[in-house]
Amino acid sequence: EQGERGSGSKSELTRRGVFYRLSAFLYSGNKEEKASFRLMWKMIARERTFKQKLLPSIGYIIIMIVAQFINKPVSLDKMANGNYFIFILYVMLFIAVTIPAALMAGNNSHSAWIFKIIPVSSPANLFKGFINAAFSKFFIPFFIVVGIFVCIIWGPRVIPDILIALMASYLFTILFYYFQMAVFPFSLEKTAAQGSGATIKMLVIMALAGLAGFLHNSLLKFFIYGNLFLIPIYGALILFINKVFVYKKLTWKTLDKVNSY
């Protein structure tokens, strides 16, 4: 029995290791970024406040998707002939953009100094690793499940749409992360992290999700491969943010103004 438990635990670790290595490869960067990626991968698995803030949004999205089927019952054949999958894919933005705020709140306000003493050339490398680890560990697995569901209903033809929606989710996630208060992970009190602008932020998220979904759907209606134009656009924006913007936005001078050591 102990042997079976040991082998089961080993296989579970192997599966986790494969997913971790794949995620780390996709977000390949310099050594500083990879180190912060590994650190955040372990931290978010143990941070209870992060899960309490993120998991309810996943439940809310599931309810939103299911409610659409309950309110307007429709056959699978009729559904497969429409573009309802656009709504399903872009409603996932509500989960993705919850991650930046979830990374702020925690009980480690007195341990942020450890990031300050790390000999790194730019704090931007740390923050890139932080958000990439959180996005890949908590968002991508759930998005894959939703993507498989969408493929089952609408077929392989929607695979490019799934990729585009994933790129949009990542783009808006890093935008929200780099534009919010530049505090180190889990170092801000929960009440302070929530702030007074939660309602405004939610309205902005809804507007961006609706705009991105509307643009995607409009290009599909324009002509059958119109959605492919979004791949180079989103790709260029992501590269610009990760290679140029973040290094100008996040400096030690900026971080020293909002973090307590």
Side-chain angles (χ1 to χ4, degrees), residues 230-251:
L230 292 173
I231 294 179
I233 293 174
Y234 286 155
L237 289 173
I238 290 171
L239 283 176
F240 173 77
I241 292 170
N242 278 329
K243 300 297 183 181
V244 179
F245 175 80
V246 65
Y247 290 99
K248 294 182 178 180
K249 175 71 176 180
L250 298 179
T251 63

Side-chain angles (χ1 to χ4, degrees), residues 194-211:
Q194 290 174 344
S196 59
T199 302
I200 296 176
K201 184 181 292 186
M202 180 57 63
L203 292 175
V204 172
I205 293 170
M206 292 175 64
L208 289 175
L211 181 62

Side-chain angles (χ1 to χ4, degrees), residues 54-84:
L54 186 64
L55 294 180
S57 65
I58 296 178
Y60 176 68
I61 295 306
I62 294 175
I63 293 173
M64 283 184 63
I65 295 175
V66 173
Q68 296 296 319
F69 292 98
I70 296 176
N71 294 333
K72 298 178 181 179
V74 64
S75 66
L76 291 179
D77 292 336
K78 186 176 180 180
M79 186 187 303
N81 293 325
N83 287 348
Y84 184 72

Side-chain angles (χ1 to χ4, degrees), residues 90 160 163-165 167-168 171 215-216 219 223 225-241:
Y90 280 91
L163 173 62
I164 293 167
M167 294 177 70
L171 172 63
L215 177 61
H216 191 149
L219 288 173
F223 66 97
Y225 298 114
N227 57 335
L228 299 181
F229 284 110
L230 292 173
I231 294 179
I233 293 174
Y234 286 155
L237 289 173
I238 290 171
L239 283 176
F240 173 77
I241 292 170

Side-chain angles (χ1 to χ4, degrees), residues 70-120:
I70 296 176
N71 294 333
K72 298 178 181 179
V74 64
S75 66
L76 291 179
D77 292 336
K78 186 176 180 180
M79 186 187 303
N81 293 325
N83 287 348
Y84 184 72
F85 64 90
I86 296 293
F87 168 80
I88 296 176
L89 293 175
Y90 280 91
V91 78
M92 299 289 290
L93 274 171
F94 287 88
I95 299 175
V97 297
T98 304
I99 295 175
L103 283 175
M104 297 173 67
N107 302 313
N108 300 322
S109 57
H110 300 295
S111 58
W113 60 269
I114 196 170
F115 296 106
K116 177 68 174 179
I117 65 174
I118 297 176
V120 295

Side-chain angles (χ1 to χ4, degrees), residues 14-257:
T14 302
R15 290 194 298 271
R16 291 181 180 179
V18 170
F19 181 68
Y20 165 77
R21 286 193 291 269
L22 177 60
S23 301
F25 173 76
L26 292 175
Y27 296 113
S28 59
N30 54 42
K31 293 182 179 179
E32 297 170 357
E33 186 178 338
K34 290 178 179 179
S36 67
F37 184 97
R38 291 195 296 269
L39 175 63
M40 180 53 59
W41 189 275
K42 295 179 180 179
M43 287 181 65
I44 55 181
R46 304 185 179 98
E47 187 60 41
R48 181 169 54 89
T49 307
F50 178 84
K51 296 177 182 178
Q52 288 176 341
K53 197 172 183 66
L54 186 64
L55 294 180
S57 65
I58 296 178
Y60 176 68
I61 295 306
I62 294 175
I63 293 173
M64 283 184 63
I65 295 175
V66 173
Q68 296 296 319
F69 292 98
I70 296 176
N71 294 333
K72 298 178 181 179
V74 64
S75 66
L76 291 179
D77 292 336
K78 186 176 180 180
M79 186 187 303
N81 293 325
N83 287 348
Y84 184 72
F85 64 90
I86 296 293
F87 168 80
I88 296 176
L89 293 175
Y90 280 91
V91 78
M92 299 289 290
L93 274 171
F94 287 88
I95 299 175
V97 297
T98 304
I99 295 175
L103 283 175
M104 297 173 67
N107 302 313
N108 300 322
S109 57
H110 300 295
S111 58
W113 60 269
I114 196 170
F115 296 106
K116 177 68 174 179
I117 65 174
I118 297 176
V120 295
S121 57
S122 171
N125 293 324
L126 296 177
F127 278 75
K128 286 171 65 178
F130 295 154
I131 190 60
N132 288 340
F135 185 83
S136 61
K137 189 176 182 67
F138 276 91
F139 179 77
I140 290 183
F142 186 64
F143 188 87
I144 289 174
V145 173
V146 173
I148 292 173
F149 168 77
V150 169
C151 280
I152 292 174
I153 302 298
W154 282 272
R157 67 180 178 87
V158 300
I159 291 178
D161 301 287
I162 295 172
L163 173 62
I164 293 167
L166 178 61
M167 294 177 70
S169 298
Y170 178 65
L171 172 63
F172 289 124
T173 298
I174 59 177
L175 277 175
F176 271 79
Y177 187 58
Y178 298 143
F179 271 108
Q180 72 181 11
M181 190 162 51
V183 297
F184 287 109
F186 315 128
S187 62
L188 202 62
E189 294 294 333
K190 189 174 182 180
T191 54
Q194 290 174 344
S196 59
T199 302
I200 296 176
K201 184 181 292 186
M202 180 57 63
L203 292 175
V204 172
I205 293 170
M206 292 175 64
L208 289 175
L211 181 62
F214 175 78
L215 177 61
H216 191 149
N217 191 49
S218 297
L219 288 173
L220 279 176
K221 290 182 177 179
F222 184 64
F223 66 97
I224 190 171
Y225 298 114
N227 57 335
L228 299 181
F229 284 110
L230 292 173
I231 294 179
I233 293 174
Y234 286 155
L237 289 173
I238 290 171
L239 283 176
F240 173 77
I241 292 170
N242 278 329
K243 300 297 183 181
V244 179
F245 175 80
V246 65
Y247 290 99
K248 294 182 178 180
K249 175 71 176 180
L250 298 179
T251 63
W252 285 118
K253 184 178 180 180
T254 303
L255 269 63
D256 289 342
K257 293 179 180 178

